[in-house]
Amino acid sequence: MHAIEILGLEKTYSIGFWRKRPKRALHPLHLAIEDGEIFGFLGPNGAGKTTTLKMLMGLVFPSGGSARILGMELDDPRMKAQIGFLPEQPYFYDYLTARELLRYYGQLSGVDSRQLSSSVNAVLEKVGLRDAMNVQLRKFSKGMLQRAGIAQAILHDPKVVFLDEPMSGLDPMGRREVRSLIEELKEEGKTVFFSTHILSDAEALCDRVAVINLGQLRGVGAVADLTSGVKGKVEIVWQGSAVPAAIKSSGGETHVAGETTRAVISEQDQDAAIDALRRDRLRLISVTPVRASLEDYFMAQLRLGAEEAVTR
Amino acid sequence: MNSRIWHIATNTFREAVRDRVLYNLIAFALLMSGAAVLVGQISIGIERLVVINLGLTAVSLFGIVIAIFIGIGLVSKEIEKRTLYTVLSRPVRRWEFVAGKFFGLSGTLIVNTFFMAIGVFVALLYVSHSFKHADTGILIALYFIVLQFLIITALALLFSSFSSPLLSAVFAFALFVIGTFAEDLRGFASLTHGVTRWLATGAAYLVPNFSALNVISQVAHESSVSRQLIAYNTAYALVYTIAVLSATALVFERRNLK
């Protein structure tokens, strides 16, 4: 059984006041997320990430398709007791203290009243809010609110945790802490599904990722598998400060540092660049392949999506 | 009441208390003490009548204003601030959320009315130095006022589930005003004929009948309120409130929380 199974989930909104016209927010989406996996859902702003998460949480109703979490339907309360959700830029009841907020959410999730206090204290400790537990949330910084958000998502020991942009608004320290928290969740055997547009986080954390753009799934798989198909780049270093015209026109980045010049160009321009260096009698020092990153893959998919949109 | 409804209700009550809603009691206390002192000086023989009329009308107006202005934000504010997302992603059904919000605000209004009622009785004691048997009628009038609060809270919640706070306030207040003249509307409907009669009668019975729930003047003049009216008003308010809450739940169940 998959932890999350999405079968053709799609969403079309009606926009306009008098003459309503359909706007597709999500094309039929098919995804299967394994138990215990950290799955990254990547895409630029407005790609359809939050719409997908909202449909999975039962906040927005799909126009078509279906999905199951832990083998249960999306409106099944038994399933909802076993999942945790952190919305994007969370906002909580600011008249409550962190402790009161978590007690309230624990009660709604059906946490045993005898265990509630110890669960709340443990999770506050885990997210580093123990000292601020009796402070009203209206006095919290953005980073502290994000931590409170993560605390409410994991308080009831869910099997599957959904995090919508969990790193947004956090400073580098905070991001590192959230990363290690997500790793801890995986060690505890939980499935983590998180959306982000911060690719380095996804690259560092995820077992698999899916890239979505303009409401369409562009690719899904392990980061290494996805990036292996991307045409790489090469770094060429030569002596001297002159830059041959063929390298200039390739559109790569060039940096002159003292007596050497460094250029990063695409693999396909490599031979032409080396020939140009020979012709200009510039001494070649090194040619090093640059490994394709998730960012390269991501950007390639976005370009592809944009080209397809133009041809349509 | 299931535990989730109870927790949502207590949280709604806590929100009202922490947002200093009960501070209106200070204004009410000042009004009642000022009225008691003033009435004692300027009205001879009708102090009771004036204090009861003024006190109960103030209880009603303070409560209606709270019911409308908090009620209209009960759902829309939660959607706008996205606090609802972390509630509905838990094993909480949408109708349970609606019911919890309703009971929470109703509880706030009942507690508020309880303290205001004490204020009315204290002012009454100040001007007439003793209570009469007829003063029990004040309790019935207060009970009817609470029934009005239940209806208006349910209506504010209904509008809040699909409309903006401003429009919800306009709708709820308009219905309160129209409902105050519900008996006149019914009388007007009976004078018309044909399709107009059907339409006017339908509209007259659709708006909440707040005039039947207003016995302030009757109580102030020491007239008794029949048991039949108490039973009728109780049944009417409960049926009307449940119908409006069911409509709210139906609307809210289908709403996309964008």
Side-chain angles (χ1 to χ4, degrees):
Chain A
M1 185 185 69
H2 299 293
I4 307 164
E5 200 174 9
I6 301 173
L7 303 163
L9 211 58
E10 61 179 299
K11 182 70 194 173
T12 304
Y13 288 109
S14 289
I15 55 168
F17 191 75
W18 294 113
R19 293 172 63 189
K20 299 243 182 225
R21 52 188 198 280
K23 184 180 185 304
R24 199 163 233 195
L26 187 71
H27 291 259
L29 175 72
H30 295 268
L31 274 181
I33 289 99
E34 301 298 330
D35 213 11
E37 195 175 22
I38 299 185
F39 191 88
F41 199 44
L42 316 179
N45 293 333
K49 304 187 297 288
T50 298
T51 301
T52 307
L53 273 165
K54 280 186 180 175
M55 282 195 281
L56 292 175
M57 293 303 108
L59 302 171
V60 165
F61 301 109
S63 310
S66 65
R68 294 171 80 82
I69 301 173
L70 298 168
M72 289 175 265
E73 298 295 331
L74 295 182
D75 59 352
D76 192 330
R78 288 172 306 155
M79 176 277 284
K80 290 196 167 180
Q82 297 178 62
I83 62 166
F85 173 50
L86 168 73
E88 186 182 5
Q89 292 171 356
Y91 187 94
F92 301 108
Y93 303 101
D94 59 6
Y95 54 88
L96 296 181
T97 65
R99 192 165 170 275
E100 287 169 340
L101 180 87
L102 294 179
R103 283 190 70 83
Y104 175 54
Y105 283 137
Q107 286 162 340
L108 292 184
S109 294
V111 175
D112 191 306
S113 58
R114 285 162 298 182
Q115 289 175 0
L116 190 56
S117 290
S118 58
S119 299
V120 166
N121 290 341
V123 84
L124 282 167
E125 183 81 55
K126 198 169 193 170
V127 299
L129 285 178
R130 187 75 196 248
D131 294 337
M133 64 194 255
N134 291 319
V135 177
Q136 277 188 328
L137 271 80
R138 59 175 58 135
K139 292 173 187 155
F140 271 30
S141 67
K142 203 174 170 189
M144 287 166 85
L145 278 177
Q146 193 76 356
R147 284 162 200 253
I150 292 170
Q152 62 80 30
I154 60 173
L155 164 77
H156 48 294
D157 195 23
K159 288 185 179 157
V160 184
V161 183
F162 294 87
L163 308 169
D164 195 359
E165 302 283 1
M167 323 288 188
S168 90
L170 294 180
D171 56 22
M173 277 292 279
R175 273 173 60 186
R176 209 163 85 174
E177 281 169 19
V178 172
R179 271 210 297 262
S180 49
L181 211 93
I182 292 175
E183 278 165 347
E184 264 178 57
L185 293 175
K186 182 183 166 66
E187 279 163 25
E188 288 167 16
K190 299 184 195 314
T191 307
V192 181
F193 181 102
F194 80 96
S195 81
T196 185
H197 58 261
I198 304 174
L199 301 175
S200 57
D201 291 332
E203 201 160 14
L205 279 171
C206 296
D207 298 309
R208 285 193 310 143
V209 296
V211 175
I212 182 171
N213 186 32
L214 301 170
Q216 267 186 313
L217 186 67
R218 308 297 319 180
V220 57
V223 174
D225 294 342
L226 294 177
T227 54
S228 65
V230 181
K231 283 198 172 164
K233 289 184 173 178
V234 286
E235 183 195 64
I236 301 181
V237 182
W238 66 91
Q239 204 160 40
S241 57
V243 181
I247 294 180
K248 269 186 198 161
S249 63
S250 71
E253 311 156 25
T254 50
H255 300 282
V256 180
E259 287 299 301
T260 57
T261 305
R262 176 181 161 273
V264 178
I265 57 171
S266 70
E267 220 169 39
Q268 64 199 22
D269 296 328
Q270 177 188 324
D271 292 341
I274 293 170
D275 289 345
L277 289 174
R278 281 196 191 120
R279 266 199 311 274
D280 294 359
R281 294 173 187 277
L282 292 164
R283 195 167 76 83
L284 182 67
I285 296 174
S286 66
V287 178
T288 318
V290 179
R291 191 176 70 89
S293 65
L294 184 58
E295 187 176 331
D296 297 321
Y297 175 77
F298 184 77
M299 294 311 292
Q301 292 307 318
L302 297 199
R303 273 196 299 274
L304 209 64
E307 282 164 20
E308 280 175 15
V310 168
T311 49
R312 270 203 298 271
Chain B
M1 195 188 294
N2 80 25
S3 68
R4 290 179 296 276
I5 296 176
W6 170 253
H7 294 310
I8 293 167
T10 49
N11 193 48
T12 306
F13 180 80
R14 183 160 46 186
E15 179 177 7
V17 172
R18 296 212 178 151
D19 282 348
R20 302 182 177 96
V21 168
L22 298 183
Y23 275 24
N24 78 93
L25 290 171
I26 297 172
F28 183 80
L30 287 173
L31 177 77
M32 285 317 295
S33 39
V37 172
L38 202 67
V39 162
Q41 290 170 0
I42 62 168
S43 52
I44 301 156
I46 56 161
E47 299 95 335
R48 284 188 77 262
L49 183 89
V50 175
V51 165
I52 293 172
N53 253 321
L54 181 80
L56 291 180
T57 305
V59 170
S60 173
L61 284 179
F62 274 62
I64 292 292
V65 168
I66 294 172
I68 291 178
F69 283 98
I70 296 185
I72 56 167
L74 281 181
V75 175
S76 58
K77 201 172 85 181
E78 295 246 5
I79 296 174
E80 189 195 326
K81 291 190 168 181
R82 301 194 301 267
T83 42
L84 197 55
Y85 295 179
T86 43
V87 173
L88 293 183
S89 57
R90 293 174 197 279
V92 175
R93 294 190 186 276
R94 291 190 180 200
W95 70 264
E96 291 174 334
F97 180 78
V98 169
K101 284 284 168 184
F102 171 78
F103 285 119
L105 181 52
S106 300
T108 310
L109 288 164
I110 289 169
V111 169
N112 202 46
T113 308
F114 173 76
F115 286 114
M116 287 200 279
I118 292 174
V120 173
F121 280 110
V122 169
L124 192 61
L125 191 62
Y126 179 81
V127 293
S128 47
H129 309 293
S130 64
F131 289 125
K132 292 180 182 174
H133 179 68
D135 292 340
T136 50
I138 296 172
L139 292 175
I140 297 167
L142 285 165
Y143 171 63
F144 285 179
I145 288 172
V146 168
L147 293 181
Q148 289 185 42
F149 293 164
L150 298 186
I151 294 175
I152 205 77
T153 300
L155 284 169
L157 201 53
L158 170 67
F159 297 132
S160 173
S161 67
F162 66 83
S163 181
S164 71
L166 181 67
L167 282 177
S168 301
V170 172
F171 293 150
F173 191 72
L175 266 185
F176 172 68
V177 174
I178 297 168
T180 307
F181 299 105
E183 296 286 2
D184 299 326
L185 266 180
R186 290 178 188 187
F188 166 73
S190 65
L191 298 175
T192 54
H193 302 282
V195 181
T196 319
R197 186 185 181 123
W198 281 102
L199 290 173
T201 309
Y205 279 89
L206 202 62
V207 296
N209 186 358
F210 288 131
S211 48
L213 288 163
N214 186 351
V215 291
I216 295 174
S217 181
Q218 203 175 329
V219 165
H221 286 95
E222 298 181 22
S223 306
S224 63
V225 179
S226 71
R227 286 186 181 174
Q228 202 183 358
L229 184 67
I230 298 173
Y232 168 79
N233 276 351
T234 304
Y236 175 80
L238 290 181
V239 169
Y240 199 97
T241 303
I242 291 169
V244 175
L245 285 177
S246 305
T248 309
L250 273 175
V251 171
F252 192 50
E253 286 285 345
R254 287 165 172 73
R255 181 152 182 197
N256 277 315
L257 305 174
K258 288 183 209 171

